[in-house]
Amino acid sequence: NSFVTRTNTCGELRAAHVGQKVTLYGWVQYQRQGLFLVLRDFQGLTQVIIPQDEAHSHVRELLSSAPLESVVRVTGTVSPRPLGQENPKMPTGDIEVKAETAEILNSCKKLPFEIKDFIKKSEALRMQYRYLDLRSFRLQSALRLRSRVVMRMREYLCNLHGFVDVETPTLFKRTPGGAKEFLVPSREAGKFYSLPQSPQQFKQLLMVGGLDRYFQVARCYRDEGSRPDRQPEFTQIDIEMSFVDQAGIQRLIEGLLQHSWPEERGSITTPFPSMTYEEALAEYGTDKPDTRFGMKIVDISDVLRGSNIHFVQNALNYPHGSIRAICIPQGVRYLTNKDLESLKESAKSQFNQEILEIIHRPDGSLKSLLTKFLGEKEQSELIQALDMQEGDVVLLAAGEHKQVCSALGALRLLSANLLEAAGLALRDPTAFHFLWVVDFPLFLPKAENPTELESAHHPFTAPHPSDASLLYSDPTKVRSQHYDLVLNGNEVGGGSIRIHSAEQQRFVLEKVLKEDSEVLSHLIEALEFGAPPHGGIALGLDRLISLIVDAPSIRDVIAFPKSFRGRDLMGNAPDYVTPEELQPYHIQVSWPLEEKEAKKN
């Protein structure tokens, strides 16, 4: 209550305050028949008794007629609630304030929706009236928790470990590779700035400048179009250190999260477990495994290798062919035939992967198209390999290793959703399972042209020390010093040890990635002036907070997010500008024909 004219907030009055005269400010949340109202502010609720005597008729008239969500000031005396009328669900439920004077500071017009968390409203409407949605307890709570976490992170990094908080520019130039960047026109004809997708180059240059330890709550920008649960502008906890290795970065982040973790969410255990990229793909079918539940992918190639099944032998003859499966616990009970068909259809449409089901009957026998080709010994080995219990359902896939694992990984998550929807508790919603994924490939074939390579992370990532020589002979086999932090199946951070040799950086850009190194000449030149070995990481703050508070979307932990299509529905941005406003930037808009006609009309 410092610096303001209230004496107390609406959430702090208790029995100990009885008899005190108080002044409260807040919004009218509820009013009942001119007898009492509930006043709300950022901290909570207080019940205010409306006086019924003639001496206070003005106060009665004022408060009885105040529309919901009007802002009012109330002065009165704290009293105990009558016996039996206490409300144990409210922190202030033992008291009420008997109003003596009141003032409506601002009346509220008819609301587009009620300010209550349980009232259903469309996301578009919520975003159009975001300033009203912000009054909800859910959003207030998420934003305040976010603020506390960031403050604790600053404390850990700056006060305890000597990091320097540095702001880096948001107007820069295009970076080769990575996500698409937003362009900003300049007054020089044909020249544009780019909004950085991360402060990557600047933080490396700060290490060249001898700053040793850098940190920033960084605003980042990516022009990724319409992608669910992504934002064109987002926030990351950006970190870089000199003279550090991968293990050092990992221990730093574990300590940072442990220090800043909200007490009400329990404690987290360190060190976090670690898994290689190849292990994650083989066991979970993804590089961001959700380790809160089992249903791991199992390699059953050896069990079926001796069989005469045509599609099995075909798959095993591929250069990287394998037969793998997942076992869905109690699938017979919880999954319908329609569910199983939808799972198979999903694998076919997304991964072009055929799926075969095997059902473990209550009598111990197997029901499948496969069983007539398998002897009792092979069937027994299959049950043992997959640890099948009676009533389980197995989904089997055969083909190229990566495709098979990716398809089964997706089916594993879809199956978990179906099981939970049917009532089987599989994933503990209060559990937080962190995991490091390491040893990623340094390069991947381009999707549009598999004969060319692109960076799996970004072009500044250093090769694994054991694979350094392969960089020049067979770059497709090089592992990187890149590491991802995964929480409950979501990537919440990623980083790497960087290339600090100008010669190696130039080779990666020009010879491996076929990029024009001139675009990065400033960085390459900086590496020639005694650049220290360095590495870093960035944590996605929006994603991390949304997982901590169990929000359905990252938009629920951002004060003013963009819509699914990247629009600000409240301010109607982006918006048109006039030709006169574009003129200094040497830009003319070329309208599509249908829009030209629409503008004429």
Side-chain angles (χ1 to χ4, degrees):
N1 299 307
S2 50
F3 314 118
V4 292
T5 52
R6 66 177 175 237
T7 60
N8 301 85
T9 67
C10 293
E12 67 175 293
L13 295 176
R14 301 290 187 273
H17 296 94
V18 166
Q20 292 183 17
K21 192 166 185 176
V22 297
T23 297
L24 306 178
Y25 289 79
W27 286 263
V28 178
Q29 172 147 316
Y30 176 75
Q31 192 262 115
R32 184 175 178 185
Q33 298 175 344
L35 299 174
F36 71 88
L37 59 81
V38 174
L39 202 61
R40 183 195 75 244
D41 68 5
F42 71 94
Q43 201 177 41
L45 308 169
T46 295
Q47 181 167 291
V48 175
I49 300 300
I50 299 172
Q52 302 299 309
D53 60 305
E54 198 57 39
H56 293 92
S57 59
H58 172 67
V59 176
R60 182 177 71 240
E61 189 179 327
L62 201 75
L63 294 180
S64 300
S65 61
L68 295 183
E69 291 304 308
S70 294
V71 183
V72 301
R73 174 189 58 76
V74 172
T75 298
T77 303
V78 182
S79 303
R81 290 201 187 187
L83 200 63
Q85 293 184 25
E86 300 90 345
N87 185 350
K89 293 180 180 177
M90 281 175 70
T92 60
D94 289 334
I95 60 91
E96 57 194 17
V97 173
K98 292 186 175 175
E100 295 164 15
T101 65
E103 180 185 0
I104 296 181
L105 302 172
N106 208 331
S107 186
C108 180
K109 70 175 187 177
K110 184 173 168 53
L111 293 162
F113 53 79
E114 288 188 68
I115 314 295
K116 291 176 182 173
D117 287 334
F118 59 83
I119 297 291
K120 296 277 187 188
K121 51 251 184 197
S122 74
E123 189 171 56
L125 192 64
R126 287 175 54 207
M127 293 180 72
Q128 184 181 348
Y129 295 95
R130 189 62 167 184
Y131 44 83
L132 293 179
D133 201 31
L134 283 168
R135 295 181 190 175
S136 69
F137 173 78
R138 181 177 38 79
L139 264 180
Q140 288 260 332
S141 174
L143 291 175
R144 291 178 190 283
L145 181 138
R146 178 181 176 131
S147 175
R148 292 198 304 274
V149 168
V150 170
M151 186 54 68
R152 295 278 287 166
M153 286 180 168
R154 286 187 188 279
E155 180 186 80
Y156 182 84
L157 292 168
C158 298
N159 297 352
L160 299 182
H161 293 286
F163 280 77
V164 184
D165 188 349
V166 181
E167 296 170 5
T168 54
T170 49
L171 291 176
F172 195 45
K173 64 189 290 188
R174 189 184 69 82
T175 305
K180 284 185 179 177
E181 295 170 338
F182 286 101
L183 297 177
V184 179
S186 77
R187 291 174 184 266
E188 294 184 57
K191 290 189 175 181
F192 292 79
Y193 296 105
S194 279
L195 298 181
Q197 51 189 292
S198 81
Q200 182 60 46
Q201 294 181 54
F202 290 112
K203 63 181 182 178
Q204 289 192 239
L205 293 167
L206 286 169
M207 297 304 102
V208 177
L211 215 70
D212 193 69
R213 295 181 171 205
Y214 145 90
F215 147 76
Q216 182 183 188
V217 181
R219 297 294 285 166
C220 305
Y221 309 87
R222 289 181 187 171
D223 187 7
E224 296 187 309
S226 301
R227 295 187 64 179
D229 219 22
R230 288 286 179 97
Q231 287 284 293
E233 50 183 337
F234 55 97
T235 307
Q236 62 187 35
I237 304 297
D238 204 48
I239 291 170
E240 198 79 4
M241 296 173 74
S242 296
F243 311 112
V244 70
D245 59 10
Q246 182 171 306
I249 296 285
Q250 290 174 334
R251 297 296 86 79
L252 167 77
I253 295 304
E254 290 167 359
L256 172 71
L257 288 169
Q258 207 165 34
H259 184 84
S260 58
W261 197 255
E263 288 180 12
E264 63 268 31
R265 293 298 185 270
S267 59
I268 52 176
T269 306
T270 60
F272 301 153
S274 183
M275 183 182 295
T276 68
Y277 168 80
E278 290 297 341
E279 287 170 340
L281 187 67
E283 293 185 5
Y284 296 93
T286 176
D287 59 5
K288 42 179 188 278
D290 187 344
T291 55
R292 288 175 296 171
F293 68 106
M295 286 172 58
K296 289 184 185 179
I297 298 169
V298 179
D299 186 354
I300 53 172
S301 302
D302 289 343
V303 176
L304 299 178
R305 197 177 298 278
S307 71
N308 295 319
I309 306 168
H310 183 64
F311 79 89
V312 166
Q313 295 307 322
N314 270 0
L316 293 175
N317 286 332
Y318 288 167
H320 301 285
S322 71
I323 320 293
R324 292 177 181 258
I326 56 170
C327 182
I328 303 172
Q330 301 180 62
V332 171
R333 177 181 173 187
Y334 288 102
L335 299 183
T336 64
N337 288 334
K338 187 180 176 182
D339 289 334
L340 290 173
E341 287 306 313
S342 75
L343 289 170
K344 291 195 280 187
E345 179 54 39
S346 174
K348 181 68 177 169
S349 60
Q350 287 187 53
F351 301 95
N352 194 29
Q353 180 65 55
E354 296 289 348
I355 298 292
L356 195 69
E357 75 214 54
I358 304 172
I359 295 171
H360 195 187
R361 291 187 178 117
D363 64 4
S365 65
L366 299 181
K367 177 189 175 185
S368 171
L369 294 174
L370 272 184
T371 48
K372 62 182 177 183
F373 300 104
L374 300 176
E376 277 188 29
K377 179 173 177 291
E378 288 168 316
Q379 289 190 36
S380 175
E381 286 175 356
L382 196 61
I383 290 169
Q384 191 174 355
L386 290 162
D387 193 22
M388 291 174 72
Q389 308 297 316
E390 291 170 9
D392 288 353
V393 173
V394 164
L395 301 180
L396 179 148
E400 192 274 325
H401 170 72
K402 190 169 184 179
Q403 178 180 308
V404 163
C405 291
S406 298
L408 289 175
L411 294 186
R412 174 179 178 267
L413 295 175
L414 289 172
S415 301
N417 293 339
L418 290 169
L419 290 174
E420 288 181 335
L424 179 66
L426 202 61
R427 293 169 288 199
D428 181 355
T430 64
F432 295 97
H433 284 219
F434 283 97
L435 172 74
W436 289 108
V437 179
V438 301
D439 290 356
F440 283 80
L442 188 57
F443 306 108
L444 293 170
K446 284 184 178 178
E448 66 274 15
N449 186 358
T451 60
E452 294 182 6
L453 296 177
E454 62 184 0
S455 297
H457 184 218
H458 58 51
F460 315 116
T461 300
H464 195 286
S466 306
D467 298 348
S469 60
L470 287 171
L471 181 65
Y472 304 96
S473 58
D474 192 352
T476 58
K477 292 183 179 174
V478 180
R479 291 168 298 162
S480 69
Q481 292 190 71
H482 165 56
Y483 31 86
D484 273 354
L485 181 61
V486 176
L487 172 58
N488 294 355
N490 297 269
E491 182 192 334
V492 293
S496 66
I497 302 301
R498 324 299 185 190
I499 295 170
H500 65 279
S501 155
E503 183 186 351
Q504 191 176 74
Q505 185 66 80
R506 194 176 283 111
F507 179 84
V508 166
L509 288 166
E510 294 177 357
K511 304 300 183 187
V512 181
L513 301 176
K514 314 296 184 191
E515 294 274 6
D516 180 7
S517 65
E518 192 58 33
V519 180
L520 292 165
S521 59
H522 56 283
L523 178 64
I524 294 172
E525 185 179 19
L527 297 179
E528 294 176 326
F529 286 101
H534 57 282
I537 193 168
L539 298 179
L541 183 64
D542 308 311
R543 177 83 57 212
L544 178 64
I545 299 298
S546 72
L547 291 169
I548 291 174
V549 303
D550 194 26
S553 163
I554 62 171
R555 290 187 283 277
D556 291 310
V557 298
I558 300 171
F560 297 100
K562 300 292 186 290
S563 73
F564 169 67
R565 298 192 179 279
R567 292 189 58 81
D568 180 339
L569 301 180
M570 182 181 65
N572 196 31
D575 204 355
Y576 296 107
V577 296
T578 65
E580 291 75 24
E581 289 172 298
L582 287 175
Q583 194 173 0
Y585 303 107
H586 315 281
I587 292 174
Q588 282 186 311
V589 176
S590 176
W591 296 100
L593 190 59
E594 60 271 19
E595 288 195 38
K596 273 186 186 175
E597 294 302 319
K599 286 179 81 68
K600 278 181 190 176
N601 298 331

